[in-house]
Amino acid sequence: MSAARALPLAGLGLAAAAAAIALAAAPPKFAAVGLAAACGAVGALILGQRVRLTPFLLVALAVGLTVKLDVSFFQHFEAVGQYLPSIGGGAGLTISVALLVALCLIAFKLAGIGERTRVLRIDRPLVLTQLAFLAAGLASLANATDTALLGFDAWRFLGLLLVSVAVSNLSGSDIRVLALAICALCLVQTLVAGLQYVSGSELGLSILGEEQIVEENINFSAQRRAGGLKVHPNILGYYYEFVWPLALALALSRGPALLRLVGAAGALSALVGVVLTLSRAAWLTFPLSATLVLLLVYRDRLMSRPSLVAAGLLAVAGGVAAIYAGPLIWERLTADDGGSAAQRGPLNAAALAMFELHPVLGVGLNNFGNQFAVLDRTGLSRLAGLFDRSNHVVHNLHILVLTEVGVVGYAAFAAVFGVGIARGLRAALRAPVGDPLAAIAASCAIGLTAHLLHGLVDPGFRLNLGIAELLYTGLGLIAAVRAVQVRAARLRAAQARDARRHAPRPAPPSPTPLSAAPPRPAPPRPSRAWDDAPLPGRASPR
């Protein structure tokens, strides 16, 4: 018996020794992630029986969404088709912090560790639309030339499904914790981006895959761009355009003071940080996002006196900020950009010509980059002189998805985000104005819309796993808010039924004694015509 009990411990010790040897020979990034995962697992096993770990896991999820914390195994090749080696779509089997946290949340839910129920709720629209897109991606295997790339991206989308399902099972308080953590970490993101912009250094973040500070050719001169903790300024722009409406919605909601304060700080930091990215497309989404947030979260207080005073103060602050940032923004929007914008049209035309070859199922999920120059019959893909290789992906998220998985896959892709956006807006309109959970759902829908609009001129989340996880976290938050609203509505209906069931019934009127009954009035005598006739011998009345 003692030997049987010692076997699991011995096996665990051997596994730990093997892992230590592997991590010692691994690159620093792999070693750091492996050590953190091991310590986190041991800590979860020890503390999970005493305290509720879900809030801590949600903070870890927010960290994973803010910082590029992922490792890839079985690298197929060095991310061919991407303009930076560290930004890629499925060049290997990638494991991220967000995926590990999602697996822990699901396991805790099923095991009942720190949770009241062991039922994992499956939101059908959230899951079925993603499964449809995943099935379309697998169907594109019929035309794919590289099955390994397709498999790596299928693994990514399966991980995104798990992330969204884990988030969709959060309670109301957990939803607020995750939103607070994302907005608070936005301050850290902007601080790092500001230091990078000022110093011109990547601050030793190469361990995360950080490249040297990107310098954009603007008006025939190099202009520094900050990448923050997201490796590249374009990726950082995607990050800010999603966090901005979330933070602004929290600031304008009727939630607790801490929620509004952290939201306001996050919104301000996102506004400052996005300027440092010099991402024009991200800039253009900010006014639209702010307008939609105001209409959905703050519409009943727009013309109040405090709102007008606050608007005046913000206008003054914005004018002062424009004195410093205005020239930079104007130059970025109007000056020569080295032909970057001019490449969009030829690349779109070449990608659409490539789409015509396989319009139904596409050329294969994640097979665009390695087939662009091969299948392009127009030759326009070779005009992309901005890049080292001619097999760069097209700068349009929608055309990229359409070409890779065809009209079938794009219909599923549109359903994933269309259903999520519609449900987020509906959740906001059905709740009282300013409700914090409804504000979170609305802001996630607005952030998804902003990203799809940005995707008209850039590849979007298809080139970065961290941004994809951020967007799918938004889909999960929308589903979680809807579940909370449905439970609240059912509870109110049940309480109303119980109140009607237990309400005292009115007593029937007691019978009146016969002795106390008032005398019945004599029935009126029917009127006859001769009653009004004058008697004989009498004069008729005048």
Side-chain angles (χ1 to χ4, degrees):
M1 181 63 68
S2 60
R5 291 180 178 179
L7 280 178
L9 296 177
L12 184 61
L14 290 175
I21 295 173
L23 291 177
K29 178 180 178 180
F30 287 72
V33 173
L35 185 61
C39 293
V42 173
L45 290 175
I46 296 174
L47 297 176
Q49 305 298 329
R50 300 183 179 181
V51 297
R52 188 169 182 266
L53 294 179
T54 300
F56 300 97
L57 289 174
L58 294 178
V59 173
L61 175 60
V63 172
L65 299 176
T66 306
V67 188
K68 187 181 184 298
L69 293 176
D70 55 66
V71 293
S72 295
F73 304 93
F74 311 112
Q75 284 283 344
H76 190 50
F77 49 76
E78 189 61 25
V80 172
Q82 315 304 336
Y83 54 88
L84 279 179
S86 57
I87 301 177
L93 191 65
T94 305
I95 299 177
S96 65
V97 169
L99 176 60
L100 295 177
V101 171
L103 292 175
C104 288
L105 289 172
I106 293 175
F108 282 10
K109 190 72 174 179
L110 295 176
I113 299 178
E115 301 293 338
R116 295 180 179 178
T117 62
R118 296 188 179 186
V119 178
L120 183 69
R121 185 177 60 254
I122 300 298
D123 187 89
R124 290 184 180 179
L126 177 72
V127 173
L128 292 180
T129 52
Q130 294 186 56
L131 288 179
F133 181 79
L134 189 58
L138 296 177
S140 68
L141 185 64
N143 302 320
T145 59
D146 196 318
T147 58
L149 285 177
L150 188 148
F152 291 148
D153 238 29
W155 166 261
R156 282 196 170 193
F157 280 105
L158 181 61
L160 295 175
L161 173 62
L162 294 175
V163 170
S164 62
V165 168
V167 175
S168 69
N169 280 268
L170 298 180
S171 64
S173 59
D174 291 336
I175 293 172
R176 288 189 288 269
V177 168
L178 180 56
L180 272 174
I182 292 174
C183 293
L185 287 170
C186 183
L187 301 174
V188 180
Q189 184 80 266
T190 301
L191 176 62
V192 173
L195 292 175
Q196 289 176 339
Y197 185 82
V198 173
S199 65
S201 169
E202 41 88 353
L203 304 178
L205 296 175
S206 57
I207 188 175
L208 303 176
E210 177 69 76
E211 299 293 317
Q212 295 296 323
I213 294 297
V214 177
E215 291 187 348
E216 190 78 18
N217 185 11
I218 302 174
N219 204 19
F220 304 102
S221 63
Q223 180 64 55
R224 189 179 300 159
R225 301 178 64 185
L229 297 169
K230 302 302 288 187
V231 176
H232 192 274
N234 287 345
I235 306 303
L236 185 59
Y238 296 145
Y239 167 84
Y240 280 131
E241 72 187 7
F242 185 86
V243 177
W244 157 253
L246 175 62
L248 185 62
L250 292 182
L252 297 179
S253 70
R254 287 192 168 99
L258 177 63
L259 199 72
R260 291 183 279 114
L261 181 61
V262 174
L268 180 61
S269 66
L271 195 60
V272 173
V274 77
V275 174
L276 305 180
T277 66
L278 299 186
S279 175
R280 294 168 295 181
W283 291 351
L284 296 178
T285 65
F286 268 52
L288 175 63
S289 298
T291 302
L292 292 177
V293 169
L294 286 172
L295 293 177
L296 290 173
V297 181
Y298 202 73
R299 60 182 182 271
D300 62 336
R301 292 166 283 169
L302 281 174
M303 301 308 297
S304 63
R305 181 177 299 177
S307 300
L308 295 177
V309 173
L313 295 176
L314 290 176
V316 173
V320 175
I323 296 176
Y324 295 95
L328 175 65
I329 296 175
W330 180 254
E331 183 181 29
R332 176 61 171 150
L333 292 175
T334 60
D336 180 85
D337 60 354
S340 177
Q343 299 295 328
R344 265 64 173 179
L347 289 176
N348 290 346
L352 290 174
M354 182 176 169
F355 159 73
E356 293 174 358
L357 299 176
H358 303 287
V360 180
L361 298 179
V363 300
L365 183 64
N366 201 25
N367 273 246
F368 185 99
N370 62 315
Q371 289 295 302
F372 198 10
V374 177
L375 299 180
D376 173 30
R377 298 171 298 175
T378 65
L380 295 174
S381 63
R382 298 168 181 82
L383 298 179
L386 291 174
F387 313 109
D388 297 334
R389 298 179 293 269
S390 61
N391 58 350
H392 186 271
V393 294
V394 63
H395 274 71
N396 189 304
L397 171 63
H398 305 272
I399 296 179
L400 176 61
V401 174
L402 185 66
T403 306
E404 285 191 340
V405 292
V407 293
V408 175
Y410 185 80
F413 168 81
V416 170
F417 290 92
V419 170
I421 292 171
R423 299 174 82 198
L425 298 178
R426 192 183 305 120
L429 295 175
R430 289 183 175 180
V433 181
D435 177 74
L437 292 183
I440 292 173
S443 64
C444 290
I446 295 170
L448 295 173
T449 304
H451 188 82
L452 293 180
L453 292 176
H454 189 166
L456 294 173
V457 293
D458 272 321
F461 76 93
R462 291 290 288 111
L463 292 188
N464 186 264
L465 177 60
I467 296 301
E469 290 170 338
L470 183 62
L471 298 180
Y472 279 73
T473 297
L475 291 171
L477 284 173
I478 292 173
V481 171
R482 173 175 167 77
V484 171
Q485 291 181 343
V486 169
R487 288 196 299 269
R490 290 176 179 174
L491 180 60
R492 289 193 298 268
Q495 291 174 346
R497 287 195 301 267
D498 291 342
R500 289 194 300 267
R501 187 179 304 151
H502 296 92
R505 296 182 179 181
S510 58
T512 307
L514 295 177
S515 59
R520 295 182 180 180
R525 187 166 58 91
S527 175
R528 294 185 290 270
W530 57 80
D531 289 341
D532 297 331
L535 295 175
R538 294 183 182 180
S540 60
R542 296 188 180 185

